[in-house]
Amino acid sequence: CNSQDIDHILETQSALAVDLGGTNLRVAVVSMKGKIVKKYIQPNPSTYEDRIQLILKMCSDAAVDAAVSLNCRVFGVGVSTGGRVNPHDGVILHSTKLIQEWSSVDIRTPISDTLHLPVWVDNDGNCAALAEKKFGQGRGVENFVTVITGTGIGGGIIQQGELVHGSTYCAAELGHIMVSLDGPECSCGSRGCIEAFASGSALQREAKRLHDEDDLLMEGMSLKNEEPVSAIHLVEASHRGNGKAEAILRTAGTALGVGIINILHTVNPSLVVLSGVLANFYENPVKNIIQQRALSSAHSIRVVTSDLEEPALLGAASMVLDYTTRRTY
Amino acid sequence: CNSQDIDHILETQSALAVDLGGTNLRVAVVSMKGKIVKKYIQPNPSTYEDRIQLILKMCSDAAVDAAVSLNCRVFGVGVSTGGRVNPHDGVILHSTKLIQEWSSVDIRTPISDTLHLPVWVDNDGNCAALAEKKFGQGRGVENFVTVITGTGIGGGIIQQGELVHGSTYCAAELGHIMVSLDGPECSCGSRGCIEAFASGSALQREAKRLHDEDDLLMEGMSLKNEEPVSAIHLVEASHRGNGKAEAILRTAGTALGVGIINILHTVNPSLVVLSGVLANFYENPVKNIIQQRALSSAHSIRVVTSDLEEPALLGAASMVLDYTTRRTY
Ligand SMILES: [Ca+2]
Ligand SMILES: [Ca+2]
Ligand SMILES: [Zn+2]
Ligand SMILES: [Zn+2]
């Protein structure tokens, strides 16, 4: 078959990808080439029942769309979710408070029973690593780590081209690397985790604290009606010379950098890919902290910001697409 | 051949093992079965020239002993050393201040030229992990970590039965996992490393500080003439009700425990083997901190104290013995 045929096959062979985060539930139809053909977003419901129902409904709707309007052949469903996941059984073992009622959940069976498609499941951080490996900056890199700074902090580790899952599926729980013996409380119940210092929700907590003390907004800044205070205001206040905001962000960058050094001193990858909404903001602080505080043997590490728009969704899809590829070609 | 012959072969086939630590330089003749047939100890000289000369002299003497008095056939030399090591080239890339003048050192060539034997080199922590895998608690365990608390803190990581060296040979530099954004200064130039909180030299530093403030010795304790203050006095003072000594040791145990949790949340092994003089002291604090502060998915980790007398020497020997086995049988 000629290359146009192959292009056509790569366009029409596709996966459903589900990404379940602290805030939103997203479903997408993703082509073999890593193109997001269509995307659906809803707020993540706070109870198990509502969440499962919404996942099934969004997946069914997307599958119909794919077949009827998008001319895509869907081979399976890939699920990216917060929490510790046993990918062999398709079970979420345990989640932190960021996703309520989401422990000991078999997510594979209901999706597979409803859609009659094979289902793959992994942790959102691990999915992001798979996405970098297949479509992003991790292509062709044997040993790399990805760290995602969103509402929480997640991550994934690729060694010798494969995800590291660990003996009880809590490898690469990078958000819960601790960089302080005390430090702020974390969603996991401990203290001093990098998630509690540097995640979106940690920065929001600090922004609210400053705002409550009337110490956040600088001249020229205002909050629109009912606009929630967030990390964005902290960054803007810091740019406008707010010393307290600047100190909070400096500590956050140091904490993330030190946490990443701990990863370097454990598995010593050749590349760190930062993703998530705060990735760009953290890239330079992380590089600086590595030069200041890592062993000299680790200074040569490359730190980059992901160029993927949706690592978790693309990684979820890649579990389906890679399996399909191995089977079909 | 019968089993007595095999026993004889295993007794007489042997390796020279060299262990170069912050304090001492040790050389041993080690049998295939992991028996230390003879051991030689000298203080580690403080300059490169003296150190290399002493290593060559001790190895030559040991080789003569092995052949003439011990009836051992020496197949090669295994070197365990502090610092980052490139095991392929047999080069020490960089050491912290614990071993002076010990960076960019080709240790393989002089030994190999002098003894006319093949030479293997690795980091002391990695050697300890190899020893646990071949002779100790790591036998048959696919994924485990060893943490050695001596003068400094070292470690090694075995994944899928193999050492993790990392992209620039600074994987498993577990002593320089940081658990504080500030914290005490470390030999590596950074701060807050577990080595700076929980190593023998860290505890000695704190014991001296207490002693200088006349806060160390309790009733019934005394220092013999010129006896240096050390971690042992801190432990004894704590047992005798010294609250300041107890607080220092509690912080040290917490720091080590949090550092080990960071390893669990990165590679999630099924076993942690503690070794070194302080291993026994730290076993319970580390277990408690894991239950208090690790993700629940990591609570099932086993933490044990090594039953090997000389992990670094045995691991150094195992590099020779494993290679010999692969070649000879
Ligand atoms: Ca992960
Ligand atoms: Ca090591
Ligand atoms: Zn946490
Ligand atoms: Zn250090």
Side-chain angles (χ1 to χ4, degrees):
Chain A
C1 64
N2 65 35
S3 75
Q4 222 183 339
D5 289 336
I6 288 172
D7 271 2
H8 182 69
I9 289 167
L10 294 176
E11 291 289 349
T12 58
Q13 291 211 81
S14 64
L16 287 190
V18 178
D19 179 38
L20 201 96
T23 313
N24 288 321
L25 170 54
R26 283 121 33 92
V27 171
V29 180
V30 181
S31 81
M32 182 75 79
K33 284 167 115 176
K35 202 180 121 197
I36 294 181
V37 182
K38 189 159 181 185
K39 192 162 69 178
Y40 314 78
I41 305 180
Q42 294 283 340
N44 187 349
S46 56
T47 67
Y48 165 78
E49 275 297 335
D50 291 354
R51 191 178 296 130
I52 283 282
Q53 288 313 315
L54 184 59
I55 291 170
L56 295 179
K57 170 146 186 11
M58 286 173 78
C59 282
S60 301
D61 290 354
V64 170
D65 261 8
V68 176
S69 339
L70 306 172
N71 190 30
C72 287
R73 247 183 101 189
V74 172
F75 279 89
V77 182
V79 179
S80 158
T81 172
R84 259 71 57 211
V85 172
N86 175 336
H88 301 295
D89 298 344
V91 167
I92 296 118
L93 300 169
H94 193 262
S95 294
T96 64
K97 288 187 286 183
L98 289 181
I99 309 179
Q100 304 273 347
E101 302 192 13
W102 205 236
S103 295
S104 302
V105 169
D106 173 357
I107 179 82
R108 174 181 285 156
T109 304
I111 299 179
S112 159
D113 285 354
T114 305
L115 278 89
H116 307 288
L117 285 170
V119 177
W120 287 262
V121 189
D122 212 331
N123 173 279
D124 46 10
N126 292 354
C127 285
L130 291 177
E132 296 299 340
K133 174 168 138 45
K134 190 172 173 75
F135 301 116
Q137 312 236 29
R139 268 174 295 184
V141 182
E142 277 286 286
N143 298 303
F144 74 91
V145 168
T146 189
V147 178
I148 309 105
T149 43
T151 313
I153 293 184
I157 301 175
I158 300 281
Q159 276 200 297
Q160 298 176 292
E162 300 282 342
L163 274 178
V164 177
H165 280 107
S167 62
T168 54
Y169 308 108
C170 81
E173 280 295 339
L174 306 180
H176 305 288
I177 287 178
M178 287 172 269
V179 295
S180 174
L181 297 184
D182 27 50
E185 280 178 35
C186 184
S187 63
C188 72
S190 186
R191 296 176 158 277
C193 300
I194 58 175
E195 177 164 304
F197 275 107
S199 66
S201 62
L203 295 184
Q204 183 172 44
R205 178 198 68 218
E206 294 301 300
K208 278 181 179 156
R209 194 176 53 74
L210 277 196
H211 190 52
D212 288 349
E213 294 163 0
D214 239 347
D215 275 342
L216 178 64
L217 300 183
M218 302 292 285
E219 207 181 312
M221 287 177 72
S222 64
L223 284 175
K224 288 174 207 90
N225 227 357
E226 312 216 11
E227 182 189 7
V229 174
S230 79
I232 294 167
H233 303 106
L234 209 57
V235 173
E236 192 182 344
S238 167
H239 278 155
R240 288 171 183 264
N242 183 327
K244 289 181 179 178
E246 202 237 320
I248 290 164
L249 291 172
R250 198 181 332 110
T251 300
T254 302
L256 185 65
V258 166
I260 287 174
I261 292 171
N262 287 346
I263 303 167
L264 306 188
H265 291 174
T266 306
V267 290
N268 185 212
S270 61
L271 171 70
V272 174
V273 182
L274 302 173
S275 65
V277 284
L278 295 163
N280 212 25
F281 171 75
Y282 281 127
E283 185 180 321
N284 279 322
V286 165
K287 283 178 175 168
N288 291 336
I289 294 291
I290 288 173
Q291 296 309 311
Q292 287 164 33
R293 299 190 56 167
L295 292 170
S296 59
S297 317
H299 287 187
S300 60
I301 184 90
R302 275 200 308 137
V303 177
V304 301
T305 295
S306 173
D307 49 20
L308 299 177
E309 252 176 67
E310 295 279 7
L313 279 176
L314 290 178
S318 83
M319 295 189 286
V320 181
L321 302 174
D322 278 357
Y323 185 77
T324 312
T325 315
R326 281 199 291 270
R327 287 277 297 261
T328 328
Y329 293 98
Chain B
C1 64
N2 64 36
S3 75
Q4 223 184 337
D5 288 338
I6 290 172
D7 270 3
H8 182 70
I9 289 168
L10 294 176
E11 291 290 348
T12 57
Q13 291 210 80
S14 63
L16 287 189
V18 179
D19 179 38
L20 202 95
T23 313
N24 290 321
L25 170 53
R26 281 121 35 91
V27 171
V29 180
V30 181
S31 80
M32 181 75 79
K33 284 166 113 177
K35 203 180 119 198
I36 294 182
V37 181
K38 189 159 181 185
K39 193 161 68 178
Y40 314 78
I41 306 181
Q42 294 284 340
N44 188 349
S46 57
T47 68
Y48 165 79
E49 275 297 336
D50 291 353
R51 191 177 296 130
I52 283 282
Q53 289 313 315
L54 185 58
I55 291 171
L56 295 178
K57 169 146 186 14
M58 287 173 77
C59 283
S60 301
D61 290 354
V64 170
D65 262 7
V68 176
S69 339
L70 306 172
N71 191 29
C72 287
R73 247 184 102 189
V74 172
F75 279 90
V77 183
V79 179
S80 158
T81 173
R84 259 71 57 210
V85 171
N86 175 336
H88 301 295
D89 298 345
V91 168
I92 296 117
L93 301 169
H94 193 262
S95 294
T96 64
K97 287 187 286 182
L98 289 181
I99 308 179
Q100 304 273 348
E101 301 190 16
W102 206 236
S103 294
S104 304
V105 170
D106 174 356
I107 179 81
R108 173 180 286 156
T109 304
I111 299 179
S112 158
D113 284 355
T114 305
L115 279 89
H116 307 290
L117 286 170
V119 177
W120 286 263
V121 189
D122 212 331
N123 173 280
D124 46 9
N126 292 354
C127 286
L130 291 177
E132 297 298 340
K133 174 168 136 54
K134 189 172 176 74
F135 302 116
Q137 311 238 30
R139 268 174 296 184
V141 182
E142 277 285 285
N143 299 303
F144 74 90
V145 167
T146 190
V147 178
I148 308 104
T149 43
T151 312
I153 293 184
I157 301 175
I158 301 280
Q159 276 199 298
Q160 299 175 294
E162 301 283 342
L163 274 178
V164 177
H165 280 107
S167 63
T168 55
Y169 307 108
C170 81
E173 280 295 339
L174 306 181
H176 305 288
I177 288 179
M178 287 172 268
V179 295
S180 173
L181 296 184
D182 28 50
E185 280 178 36
C186 184
S187 64
C188 71
S190 186
R191 297 177 156 275
C193 299
I194 58 175
E195 178 164 304
F197 275 107
S199 65
S201 61
L203 295 184
Q204 183 173 44
R205 178 198 68 218
E206 294 300 300
K208 279 181 179 156
R209 194 176 52 74
L210 277 195
H211 190 53
D212 288 349
E213 294 163 0
D214 238 347
D215 275 342
L216 178 65
L217 300 183
M218 302 293 285
E219 209 182 311
M221 288 177 71
S222 64
L223 285 176
K224 289 173 206 90
N225 227 357
E226 312 219 10
E227 182 189 7
V229 174
S230 77
I232 294 168
H233 303 106
L234 209 56
V235 172
E236 192 183 344
S238 167
H239 278 155
R240 287 171 183 264
N242 183 326
K244 288 183 179 176
E246 202 237 321
I248 289 164
L249 291 171
R250 200 182 329 111
T251 300
T254 302
L256 185 64
V258 165
I260 287 175
I261 292 172
N262 287 347
I263 303 167
L264 306 188
H265 291 175
T266 306
V267 289
N268 185 212
S270 61
L271 171 70
V272 175
V273 182
L274 302 174
S275 65
V277 285
L278 294 163
N280 212 23
F281 170 75
Y282 280 127
E283 185 180 320
N284 279 322
V286 164
K287 283 178 175 168
N288 291 337
I289 294 292
I290 289 172
Q291 295 310 311
Q292 287 163 34
R293 298 189 58 167
L295 293 170
S296 58
S297 317
H299 286 187
S300 61
I301 184 90
R302 273 199 310 136
V303 178
V304 300
T305 295
S306 173
D307 48 20
L308 299 177
E309 252 176 67
E310 295 279 8
L313 279 177
L314 290 177
S318 84
M319 295 189 287
V320 181
L321 301 174
D322 278 357
Y323 185 76
T324 311
T325 315
R326 281 199 290 271
R327 287 278 296 262
T328 327
Y329 293 98

Coordinates of all heavy atoms in Angstrom, one line a residue, chain A residues 14-19 26-31 38 40 55-56 58-67 70 72-80 111 115 117-120 313 316-321:
Chain A
S14 N -7.9 4.6 15.8 CA -7.8 5.5 16.9 C -8.2 4.9 18.2 O -8.6 3.7 18.3 CB -8.8 6.7 16.7 OG -10.1 6.2 16.6
A15 N -8.0 5.7 19.3 CA -8.3 5.2 20.7 C -9.2 6.2 21.4 O -9.1 7.4 21.0 CB -7.0 5.1 21.4
L16 N -10.0 5.7 22.3 CA -10.6 6.7 23.2 C -9.6 6.9 24.4 O -9.1 5.9 24.9 CB -11.9 6.1 23.8 CG -13.1 6.1 22.8 CD1 -14.4 5.7 23.6 CD2 -13.3 7.4 22.1
A17 N -9.5 8.1 24.8 CA -8.6 8.4 26.0 C -9.4 9.1 27.0 O -10.2 10.0 26.7 CB -7.4 9.3 25.5
V18 N -9.3 8.6 28.3 CA -10.0 9.2 29.4 C -8.9 9.8 30.3 O -8.0 9.1 30.6 CB -10.8 8.2 30.1 CG1 -11.5 8.8 31.3 CG2 -11.8 7.5 29.2
D19 N -9.1 11.0 30.8 CA -8.2 11.6 31.8 C -9.0 12.1 33.0 O -9.8 13.0 32.8 CB -7.3 12.7 31.2 CG -6.4 13.3 32.3 OD1 -5.9 12.5 33.1 OD2 -6.2 14.5 32.3
R26 N -12.0 14.3 31.4 CA -11.9 14.6 29.9 C -11.8 13.3 29.2 O -11.2 12.3 29.6 CB -10.6 15.4 29.6 CG -10.7 16.9 29.9 CD -9.7 17.4 30.9 NE -8.4 16.7 30.8 CZ -7.4 17.1 30.0 NH1 -7.6 18.2 29.3 NH2 -6.3 16.5 30.0
V27 N -12.5 13.3 28.0 CA -12.5 12.1 27.1 C -12.1 12.7 25.7 O -12.5 13.8 25.4 CB -13.8 11.4 27.1 CG1 -13.9 10.4 26.0 CG2 -14.2 10.8 28.4
A28 N -11.3 11.9 25.0 CA -10.9 12.3 23.7 C -10.8 11.2 22.7 O -10.6 10.0 23.1 CB -9.5 13.0 23.7
V29 N -11.1 11.5 21.4 CA -10.8 10.5 20.4 C -9.4 10.9 19.9 O -9.2 12.1 19.5 CB -11.8 10.6 19.2 CG1 -11.5 9.6 18.1 CG2 -13.2 10.4 19.8
V30 N -8.4 9.9 19.9 CA -7.0 10.2 19.5 C -6.6 9.3 18.4 O -6.8 8.1 18.5 CB -6.1 10.0 20.7 CG1 -4.7 10.4 20.4 CG2 -6.6 10.9 21.9
S31 N -6.1 9.9 17.4 CA -5.6 9.1 16.2 C -4.3 8.5 16.5 O -3.5 8.9 17.4 CB -5.5 10.0 15.0 OG -4.3 10.7 15.0
K38 N -11.2 14.8 18.7 CA -12.3 15.5 19.4 C -12.1 15.3 20.9 O -11.6 14.3 21.3 CB -13.6 15.0 18.9 CG -14.8 15.8 19.4 CD -16.1 15.7 18.6 CE -17.2 16.6 19.2 NZ -18.5 16.4 18.5
Y40 N -13.8 16.1 24.9 CA -15.0 16.4 25.7 C -14.6 16.6 27.1 O -13.8 15.9 27.7 CB -16.0 15.2 25.7 CG -16.2 14.6 24.3 CD1 -15.2 13.7 23.7 CD2 -17.4 14.8 23.6 CE1 -15.4 13.2 22.5 CE2 -17.5 14.2 22.3 CZ -16.5 13.4 21.8 OH -16.7 12.9 20.5
I55 N -18.3 8.8 33.3 CA -17.3 8.2 32.4 C -17.9 7.4 31.4 O -17.6 7.5 30.2 CB -16.3 7.4 33.3 CG1 -15.5 8.3 34.2 CG2 -15.4 6.5 32.4 CD1 -14.6 7.5 35.2
L56 N -18.9 6.5 31.8 CA -19.5 5.6 30.8 C -20.3 6.4 29.7 O -20.2 6.1 28.5 CB -20.4 4.6 31.5 CG -19.7 3.6 32.5 CD1 -20.7 2.7 33.1 CD2 -18.7 2.8 31.7
M58 N -19.8 9.6 28.8 CA -18.9 10.3 27.9 C -18.2 9.4 26.9 O -18.0 9.7 25.7 CB -17.9 11.1 28.7 CG -18.5 12.4 29.4 SD -17.3 13.2 30.6 CE -16.3 14.1 29.4
C59 N -17.8 8.2 27.4 CA -17.1 7.3 26.5 C -18.1 6.8 25.4 O -17.7 6.7 24.3 CB -16.6 6.1 27.3 SG -15.1 6.4 28.2
S60 N -19.3 6.5 25.8 CA -20.3 6.0 24.8 C -20.6 7.0 23.8 O -20.6 6.8 22.6 CB -21.6 5.6 25.5 OG -21.4 4.6 26.5
D61 N -20.8 8.3 24.2 CA -21.1 9.4 23.3 C -19.9 9.5 22.3 O -20.1 9.7 21.1 CB -21.3 10.7 24.1 CG -22.6 10.7 24.8 OD1 -23.4 9.7 24.6 OD2 -22.9 11.6 25.6
A62 N -18.7 9.5 22.9 CA -17.5 9.7 22.1 C -17.3 8.5 21.1 O -16.9 8.8 19.9 CB -16.2 9.7 23.0
A63 N -17.7 7.3 21.5 CA -17.5 6.2 20.6 C -18.5 6.3 19.4 O -18.2 6.0 18.3 CB -17.8 4.9 21.4
V64 N -19.7 6.8 19.7 CA -20.7 7.0 18.7 C -20.2 8.1 17.7 O -20.2 7.9 16.5 CB -22.1 7.4 19.3 CG1 -23.1 7.9 18.2 CG2 -22.7 6.2 20.1
D65 N -19.8 9.2 18.3 CA -19.2 10.3 17.5 C -18.1 9.8 16.6 O -18.0 10.1 15.4 CB -18.6 11.4 18.4 CG -19.5 12.5 18.6 OD1 -20.7 12.5 18.2 OD2 -19.0 13.5 19.3
A66 N -17.2 9.0 17.2 CA -16.0 8.5 16.4 C -16.5 7.7 15.2 O -16.0 7.9 14.1 CB -15.1 7.6 17.3
A67 N -17.5 6.8 15.4 CA -17.9 5.9 14.3 C -18.8 6.7 13.3 O -18.6 6.6 12.1 CB -18.7 4.8 14.9
L70 N -16.9 11.0 12.8 CA -15.4 11.3 12.7 C -14.7 10.2 11.8 O -13.6 10.4 11.5 CB -14.8 11.3 14.1 CG -15.4 12.3 15.1 CD1 -14.7 12.1 16.5 CD2 -15.2 13.7 14.6
C72 N -13.6 7.3 12.5 CA -12.5 6.7 13.2 C -12.8 5.3 13.7 O -13.9 5.1 14.2 CB -12.1 7.6 14.4 SG -11.3 9.1 14.0
R73 N -11.9 4.4 13.5 CA -12.1 3.1 14.0 C -11.4 3.0 15.4 O -10.2 3.1 15.5 CB -11.4 2.1 13.1 CG -12.3 1.1 12.4 CD -11.5 0.1 11.6 NE -11.5 -1.2 12.3 CZ -10.7 -2.2 11.9 NH1 -9.9 -2.0 10.8 NH2 -10.7 -3.3 12.5
V74 N -12.2 2.9 16.5 CA -11.7 2.9 17.8 C -11.4 1.5 18.2 O -12.2 0.6 18.2 CB -12.8 3.5 18.8 CG1 -12.3 3.3 20.3 CG2 -13.0 4.9 18.5
F75 N -10.1 1.3 18.6 CA -9.6 0.0 19.0 C -9.6 -0.4 20.5 O -9.5 -1.5 20.9 CB -8.1 -0.2 18.5 CG -8.1 -0.5 17.0 CD1 -8.0 0.5 16.1 CD2 -8.1 -1.8 16.6 CE1 -8.0 0.2 14.8 CE2 -8.1 -2.1 15.3 CZ -8.0 -1.1 14.3
G76 N -9.8 0.7 21.3 CA -9.8 0.4 22.7 C -9.8 1.7 23.5 O -9.9 2.8 22.9
V77 N -9.8 1.6 24.8 CA -10.0 2.7 25.7 C -8.7 2.8 26.6 O -8.4 1.7 27.2 CB -11.3 2.7 26.5 CG1 -11.4 3.9 27.4 CG2 -12.5 2.5 25.6
G78 N -8.1 3.9 26.7 CA -7.0 4.1 27.6 C -7.4 5.1 28.7 O -8.0 6.1 28.4
V79 N -7.2 4.7 30.0 CA -7.7 5.6 31.1 C -6.5 6.1 31.8 O -5.6 5.3 32.3 CB -8.6 4.8 32.0 CG1 -9.0 5.7 33.2 CG2 -9.8 4.3 31.3
S80 N -6.3 7.4 32.0 CA -5.4 8.0 32.8 C -6.1 8.5 34.1 O -7.1 9.2 33.9 CB -4.7 9.2 32.1 OG -4.2 10.1 32.9
I111 N -16.2 -0.1 32.0 CA -16.0 0.5 30.7 C -16.0 -0.6 29.6 O -16.6 -0.5 28.5 CB -14.7 1.3 30.6 CG1 -14.7 2.4 31.6 CG2 -14.4 1.8 29.2 CD1 -13.4 3.2 31.6
L115 N -18.7 -0.7 26.6 CA -18.2 -0.4 25.3 C -17.8 -1.6 24.4 O -17.5 -1.5 23.2 CB -17.1 0.7 25.3 CG -17.6 2.1 25.5 CD1 -17.7 2.4 27.0 CD2 -16.7 3.1 24.7
L117 N -14.9 -3.0 24.4 CA -13.6 -2.7 23.9 C -12.6 -3.1 25.0 O -12.9 -3.0 26.2 CB -13.5 -1.2 23.5 CG -14.2 -0.7 22.3 CD1 -14.2 0.8 22.3 CD2 -13.6 -1.3 21.0
P118 N -11.4 -3.4 24.6 CA -10.3 -3.6 25.6 C -10.0 -2.3 26.3 O -10.1 -1.2 25.6 CB -9.1 -4.1 24.8 CG -9.3 -3.7 23.4 CD -10.8 -3.6 23.2
V119 N -9.6 -2.3 27.6 CA -9.4 -1.1 28.4 C -8.0 -1.2 29.1 O -7.7 -2.2 29.7 CB -10.5 -1.0 29.4 CG1 -10.2 0.3 30.3 CG2 -11.9 -0.8 28.8
W120 N -7.2 -0.2 28.9 CA -5.9 -0.1 29.6 C -6.1 1.1 30.6 O -6.7 2.1 30.4 CB -4.8 0.2 28.7 CG -4.4 -1.0 27.8 CD1 -3.4 -1.8 28.1 CD2 -5.0 -1.4 26.6 NE1 -3.3 -2.8 27.1 CE2 -4.3 -2.6 26.2 CE3 -6.1 -1.0 25.9 CZ2 -4.6 -3.3 25.1 CZ3 -6.4 -1.7 24.7 CH2 -5.7 -2.8 24.3
L313 N -3.8 12.6 28.3 CA -4.7 12.0 27.3 C -3.9 11.3 26.2 O -4.3 10.2 25.8 CB -5.6 13.1 26.6 CG -6.8 13.6 27.3 CD1 -7.4 14.8 26.5 CD2 -7.8 12.5 27.5
A316 N -2.7 8.0 27.7 CA -3.7 7.1 27.8 C -4.0 6.4 26.4 O -4.1 5.2 26.3 CB -5.0 7.7 28.3
A317 N -4.1 7.2 25.4 CA -4.3 6.7 24.1 C -3.1 5.8 23.6 O -3.3 4.8 23.0 CB -4.4 7.9 23.1
S318 N -1.9 6.2 24.0 CA -0.7 5.4 23.5 C -0.8 4.0 24.0 O -0.2 3.1 23.4 CB 0.6 6.1 23.9 OG 1.0 5.8 25.2
M319 N -1.4 3.7 25.2 CA -1.4 2.4 25.7 C -2.3 1.5 24.7 O -1.9 0.3 24.5 CB -2.1 2.3 27.1 CG -1.3 3.0 28.2 SD -1.9 2.7 29.8 CE -3.4 3.8 29.9
V320 N -3.3 2.1 24.2 CA -4.1 1.4 23.2 C -3.4 1.3 21.9 O -3.3 0.2 21.3 CB -5.5 2.2 23.0 CG1 -6.4 1.4 22.0 CG2 -6.2 2.4 24.3
L321 N -2.8 2.4 21.4 CA -2.2 2.4 20.1 C -1.0 1.5 20.0 O -0.8 0.8 19.0 CB -1.9 3.9 19.7 CG -3.1 4.9 19.7 CD1 -2.6 6.3 19.5 CD2 -4.1 4.5 18.7

